[in-house]
Amino acid sequence: MYRVARAAGVACVASDTCFHCAAPLPASGSWSGEVDGALRAFCCAGCLAVARTIRSAGLEAYYRDRPAAASKPPRPDDTRGGWAHDNGIARRAGLLLPRAGGDADAALLLEGMTCGACVWLLEAWLARVDGVRSAHVNLALRRAQVRIDPARVTLGTLLDAVARIGYVAHPYDASRRDALARNEARVMLRRTVIAWLAMMQVMMLALPLYIGDDGVTIEQRRLLDWASVTLTLPVMLYCAGPFFRAAWANVRARRLGMDVPVATALAAAFAASVVATLNGTGVTYYDSITMFVALLLTARAIELHARQRAADALDFTARALPATAERYAAWPDRTSLETVSADLLARNDVVLLRPGAAIPSDGRVIEGASHVDESWLTGESVPRARAAGDTVLAGAVNLESMLVVRVDEPVDATQLAALTRLVQNAADARPPIARLADRIAGRFVGAMLAVAAVSALCWLIVEPSRALAVTFAVLAVSCPCALSLATPATLASAAGALARRRIVLTRPEALEALAHVTTMAFDKTGTLTHGRLELACFEALRPITLDRALAIAAALEHGSEHPLARAIRTRAHRAAVANDIAMTPGLGVEGEVSGVRWRLGRADFAGGRDDTGAALPTACTAVVLGDAQGPVALFGFADTPREDARETIELLRGAGVRSLLLSGDRCGAVEATARALAIGDARAALTPMAKRDAIVALQDRHDVVAMVGDGINDAPALATADVAVSLGSATPLAQCTADVVVLSGRLSDIPAALALARRAHRIVRQNLAWALLYNAVAVPAAALGLVSPSIAAIGMSLSSLVVIANALRAARIPGV
């Protein structure tokens, strides 16, 4: 049969292939439509729709000018491409990241996960694949991070392995994750609504029997039962479908997940109810079944919402990069502008950034001036001015006028890419307390199935008519949802809260260790202080204003990269013009300004005595400005504390954490900083190994030590500490060693993270205690026949909701 869309007076062109894709026309019939003045045949409605779109857009010349027929969209089983079985192609496509020792990391996006048991099952199953070194699954992000031996396993092998236990996997992509999350939320809402509607209708049908069946005839009762089974069927076949699929996947993998008792209870209760309906005698449980499914879906819908909120915060870095960039193919030819994928940018490419555009890669401005928003990294809303010569970071947004930027690094080597990897590594791994909860949940399921079997056997002996109801109640009330959710829900909420404040955990154990910190050790330069010299004091030894003295000093230091020179130029509002400048290493600089010969540097060089700067604070570095008659002015420069440093120390003291200053700087500067910040224990002139030894000594006293540092010299101490913390401005080595990276650079975020870690630790223990207490009370009560199936379903759901609600408290940083 042909589906024909004919136009009057239009000639038909006979063909046995599709006009659009050249595929053979199906034997059962084809579609046809007018293209280029003739009626053409198409293999499917999709090709016909594309052809009509081309025609309506006035682009029919496409079919005359194309070199060959358009390709047909690939079938689902053909969409993988060469990367699935060729690791070289996968690596070039960015789907495999090489690692040391020849291994590679693959990130997979997973469909079909519902709970912590799915995480446990997928990790265990992937670990069995030959060539897989390790597998970590993150429920919130639906991502599996798998380390493989590329010589023994391909991406296609991983995808097939996941499919064998009932899940679907794709190479990880943030936009696809968002689409899957939206679809999962819609499907979950649909299942939940249908289950609640069915439950209400079944409850209405069961109401006469609740009131009393004296006035209900046998025929009426059978009619009510058949109506109930009709309403319960969609609940079992559609709403409860995920429970049965997950349980089957667990059974195939020879694992016991929390969906196994759920599916067992539902299947047994429904089968017994159908048998009773067919026989016309016995007890039915349609009301309990629909209530159980509706309540369980409601709890999981709330959990899904909490997970997606956490995932949105954890995945914020992936949203910062644009998909495309405008690149000059032959700079400085401005007519060679082309739009390319941001992933294709290479070092030294030149790109155009329009106002409102996100910067695709780290680079340097070569033309233009504007302000950029880097709040994704710093958390600060104040834009930063950028002009020619300034660096810009991937993910920042150009706010005002056009910039031309030369790319310094490809997209996968930017600071944003490094940050993304830190976030992903922390999100994909799980701390010991989470792994302990998983092991408890797995054993708990086996124990509960055994309890249900023993209860059924005992009641078959004592009172057979109640055996099924009691067994159903035991399986329903003992569903380990609360136990499985206790830890991951809390950790996801806490990690999301920290990510929103731009605090990144690079390993999952950091949150737990941070909660137990008793001593916080700080580096000085660049950590408690700004890490740059600033003018701290000024003294005129002869009549001269500060502005005039700075102008002369800035003229003498023009072009110098010495930290003191940069500090002088930064503070000077204007600079004079100096001629005949001469530098004397280790002493200072001299030159002629307005006909006068000036010197700037050490006191003995600038015409003063060695003790000229003795009146300055010990923390200051003295610089003397002098002329032929002797010293004229005295500058004192110091590395000043950060604005929030004292507040941070006070907050830590209030939290019962002792602060310690470990610095390699000279004694005077360290003592001045310690005095300004009220730090009682400060140690100066320490080598990197001496800092490490100081931390080891504290640990030997059973202190839990966190080290906050930013430089290469802090790396040994950071690696030794129980928790290593670095700021966003730290060196790459310090960040790689750190467990916690404070991207905002605000020291006050450290006590906030400490407070949240302590709260999260308390909440995890509260949730585990609640889940165990609930089961310790509810399971024996159900086994003794004191709990009806309906009450068991309500109790199980309320237990999960209590855990989720408590876990969401970890999403708020105390005091914020």
Side-chain angles (χ1 to χ4, degrees):
M1 171 183 172
Y2 286 81
R3 297 170 175 84
V4 179
R6 295 183 179 275
V10 176
C12 294
V13 178
S15 175
D16 56 357
T17 60
C18 175
F19 177 73
H20 179 71
C21 70
L25 296 177
S28 58
S30 63
W31 286 254
S32 61
E34 182 185 354
V35 176
D36 204 15
L39 196 64
R40 312 285 185 173
F42 298 89
C43 65
C44 64
C47 287
L48 174 60
V50 172
R52 283 178 171 170
T53 302
I54 292 173
R55 178 190 178 192
S56 63
L59 301 175
E60 289 177 311
Y62 160 77
Y63 289 107
R64 294 193 300 271
D65 299 337
R66 63 179 176 174
S71 60
K72 190 174 181 64
R75 297 182 181 275
D77 55 351
D78 295 326
T79 57
R80 291 182 180 177
W83 53 261
H85 303 291
D86 187 324
N87 285 337
I89 297 176
R91 190 178 293 109
R92 289 191 293 274
L95 303 178
L96 280 180
L97 294 179
R99 290 291 179 247
D103 289 347
D105 284 348
L108 306 180
L109 180 64
L110 301 168
E111 296 183 47
M113 290 199 301
T114 59
C115 62
C118 298
V119 173
W120 166 57
L121 172 62
L122 282 160
E123 286 182 345
W125 184 259
L126 285 170
R128 295 179 181 179
V129 177
D130 182 42
V132 171
R133 307 289 194 195
S134 63
H136 298 288
V137 176
N138 182 272
L139 181 60
L141 295 178
R142 300 173 178 80
R143 181 180 56 229
Q145 194 75 19
V146 187
R147 179 155 295 188
I148 64 171
D149 177 358
R152 296 162 58 195
V153 66
T154 65
L155 270 178
T157 306
L158 298 179
L159 304 187
D160 291 339
V162 171
R164 281 199 297 275
I165 56 170
Y167 300 89
V168 178
H170 317 272
Y172 188 82
D173 176 73
S175 58
R176 176 176 277 183
R177 185 196 71 80
D178 289 343
L180 286 176
R182 289 192 297 270
N183 182 66
E184 186 176 356
R186 284 195 299 268
V187 172
M188 178 67 77
L189 178 61
R190 189 184 308 127
R191 293 184 196 275
T192 305
V193 169
I194 292 174
W196 275 99
L197 290 174
M199 184 203 76
M200 289 187 289
Q201 295 300 317
V202 171
M203 286 292 187
M204 290 177 60
L205 295 174
L207 186 61
L209 301 179
Y210 288 154
I211 297 173
D213 57 359
D214 293 341
V216 180
T217 64
I218 295 177
E219 290 76 12
Q220 291 171 333
R221 183 187 179 96
R222 296 200 65 184
L223 179 62
L224 292 174
D225 286 344
W226 279 107
S228 296
V229 74
T230 304
L231 291 168
T232 306
L233 267 175
V235 174
M236 291 293 292
L237 298 177
Y238 177 67
C239 301
F243 307 144
F244 290 107
R245 284 194 294 272
W248 177 241
N250 278 267
V251 171
R252 288 180 62 188
R254 298 180 182 178
R255 302 278 180 172
L256 291 177
M258 66 180 176
D259 283 312
V260 172
V262 170
T264 302
L266 289 173
F270 184 71
S273 299
V274 170
V275 170
T277 301
L278 292 172
N279 294 335
T281 58
V283 182
T284 60
Y285 301 97
Y286 301 119
D287 53 343
S288 299
I289 292 170
T290 52
M291 177 185 288
F292 184 39
V293 173
L295 291 173
L296 188 54
L297 285 173
T298 301
R300 292 198 176 178
I302 295 172
E303 179 208 350
L304 176 65
H305 177 68
R307 281 196 283 115
Q308 289 182 353
R309 281 184 56 196
D312 290 341
L314 291 170
D315 217 19
F316 72 93
T317 55
R319 307 167 194 276
L321 280 180
T324 60
E326 292 186 273
R327 179 178 67 184
Y328 289 104
W331 175 260
D333 179 8
R334 297 178 182 276
T335 64
S336 62
L337 195 64
E338 59 182 0
T339 300
V340 298
S341 171
D343 294 335
L344 299 179
L345 292 178
R347 188 177 287 108
N348 293 324
D349 280 350
V350 177
V351 297
L352 174 67
L353 298 176
R354 301 182 187 275
I359 298 171
S361 190
D362 293 354
R364 190 172 298 274
V365 178
I366 59 176
E367 187 177 288
S370 183
H371 281 80
V372 299
D373 177 7
E374 294 181 353
S375 58
W376 68 266
L377 176 63
T378 65
E380 299 290 344
S381 59
V382 179
R384 298 186 176 184
R386 290 291 183 266
D390 293 334
T391 58
V392 290
L393 299 178
V397 178
N398 180 26
L399 297 178
E400 295 169 341
S401 48
M402 288 194 292
L403 295 175
V404 178
V405 173
R406 188 180 301 279
V407 173
D408 287 340
E409 299 290 348
V411 173
D412 60 356
T414 61
Q415 290 191 34
L416 179 62
L419 168 62
T420 302
R421 285 191 286 272
L422 287 177
V423 174
Q424 290 177 351
N425 290 340
D428 291 337
R430 283 176 296 150
I433 193 170
R435 294 193 290 269
L436 174 62
D438 287 346
R439 288 196 297 270
I440 292 173
R443 294 170 182 171
F444 181 83
V445 170
M448 289 306 100
L449 289 174
V451 169
V454 171
S455 299
L457 182 62
C458 293
W459 281 96
L460 282 172
I461 298 171
V462 176
E463 191 175 345
S465 62
R466 297 190 60 193
L468 182 60
V470 170
T471 304
F472 179 71
V474 170
L475 290 172
V477 82
S478 66
C479 175
C481 297
L483 189 60
S484 293
L485 293 173
T487 300
T490 305
L491 295 181
S493 295
L498 290 173
R500 284 192 293 275
R501 191 146 173 168
R502 302 301 188 263
I503 303 171
V504 175
L505 304 178
T506 64
R507 66 182 180 98
E509 293 87 351
L511 194 66
E512 189 175 352
L514 193 60
H516 296 93
V517 165
T518 59
T519 300
M520 189 82 69
F522 290 92
D523 173 49
K524 182 184 79 70
T525 305
T527 301
L528 288 176
T529 65
H530 289 289
R532 62 179 183 271
L533 293 173
E534 297 178 350
L535 182 63
C537 53
F538 171 77
E539 183 180 347
L541 304 177
R542 280 193 277 156
I544 191 172
T545 64
L546 173 61
D547 284 347
R548 176 61 179 163
L550 284 171
I552 295 170
L556 294 174
E557 294 287 7
H558 177 73
S560 173
E561 290 302 315
H562 191 280
L564 285 171
R566 288 198 297 269
I568 289 170
R569 291 197 302 270
T570 300
R571 183 62 189 273
H573 298 297
R574 58 188 177 85
V577 178
N579 300 309
D580 193 21
I581 297 175
M583 177 76 66
T584 304
L587 294 178
V589 63
E590 61 180 307
E592 187 176 308
V593 178
S594 301
V596 178
R597 194 72 181 174
W598 294 91
R599 283 190 171 191
L600 180 72
R602 280 173 38 173
D604 55 351
F605 175 75
R609 300 191 308 270
D610 289 343
D611 61 349
T612 300
L616 294 178
T618 57
C620 287
T621 299
V623 178
V624 178
L625 176 67
D627 58 14
Q629 284 74 44
V632 176
L634 180 63
F635 301 100
F637 292 90
D639 185 7
T640 57
R642 293 174 182 263
E643 291 75 10
D644 59 349
R646 188 178 180 91
E647 175 194 0
T648 298
I649 301 302
E650 291 175 352
L651 289 171
L652 290 172
R653 186 180 297 115
V657 176
R658 184 170 71 96
S659 295
L660 171 66
L661 179 53
L662 302 177
S663 176
D665 206 350
R666 54 194 174 86
C667 292
V670 173
E671 289 174 0
T673 301
R675 247 189 335 268
L677 302 180
I679 298 177
D681 190 352
R683 307 175 194 180
L686 297 179
T687 65
M689 300 311 292
K691 290 184 180 182
R692 187 202 64 177
D693 293 342
I695 290 176
V696 170
L698 291 170
Q699 292 170 330
D700 289 342
R701 288 174 16 193
H702 305 293
D703 280 10
V704 179
V705 184
M707 174 70 193
V708 187
D710 77 322
I712 293 175
N713 62 329
D714 298 318
L718 289 168
T720 304
D722 297 284
V723 183
V725 183
S726 73
L727 304 180
S729 57
T731 62
L733 179 59
Q735 289 195 7
C736 289
T737 314
D739 305 315
V740 181
V741 180
V742 182
L743 296 173
S744 65
R746 292 188 297 262
L747 283 172
S748 56
D749 281 344
I750 295 174
L754 177 74
L756 184 134
R758 290 181 173 181
R759 166 183 278 183
H761 186 72
R762 288 195 303 270
I763 290 174
V764 166
R765 294 196 173 279
Q766 290 168 4
N767 282 347
L768 288 173
W770 162 254
L772 293 172
L773 177 63
Y774 160 77
N775 283 286
V777 173
V779 172
L784 293 172
L786 303 177
V787 178
S788 68
S790 299
I791 297 301
I794 294 173
M796 177 277 304
S797 300
L798 288 178
S799 175
S800 298
L801 291 175
V802 167
V803 166
I804 294 169
N806 197 35
L808 290 176
R809 292 172 51 228
R812 184 177 65 83
I813 296 180
V816 178

